[in-house]
Amino acid sequence: AEDYYQKALSIRKWYLDGKHPDLAKSYSNLARLYFLTGNTKIAEGHIRQAMIINESYYGNNHPSSARIL
């Protein structure tokens, strides 16, 4: 699964603006995978990136910004 999530992230980085919420979804998917496999440090970095993207796109008070957690 990791290979596919990484590939999706690479494709989205290539085609989308760096602040697009679909890019945040890719980071979130990878974070969930890493968390479930015990790689919490890597997961934390990915979830932080997803949060930064969503907050810049939607704002701090939007449900999508909180949903990423």
Side-chain angles (χ1 to χ4, degrees):
E2 181 182 2
D3 291 340
Y4 291 108
Y5 282 146
Q6 288 287 2
K7 185 168 183 139
L9 177 62
S10 294
I11 291 168
R12 286 179 171 173
K13 280 182 176 180
W14 177 261
Y15 286 102
L16 301 174
D17 176 20
K19 303 296 182 192
H20 196 280
D22 285 347
L23 189 58
K25 184 65 176 168
S26 285
Y27 279 112
S28 178
N29 288 340
L30 275 166
R32 185 176 302 114
L33 173 70
Y34 289 131
F35 179 77
L36 292 173
T37 58
N39 295 314
T40 56
K41 291 291 184 189
I42 297 171
E44 182 181 353
H46 282 67
I47 204 66
R48 286 184 189 274
Q49 188 63 36
M51 288 173 58
I52 289 167
I53 293 168
N54 271 357
E55 287 176 0
S56 70
Y57 189 84
Y58 294 112
N60 293 336
N61 295 323
H62 194 276
S64 291
S65 294
R67 190 175 300 131
I68 207 77
L69 297 174

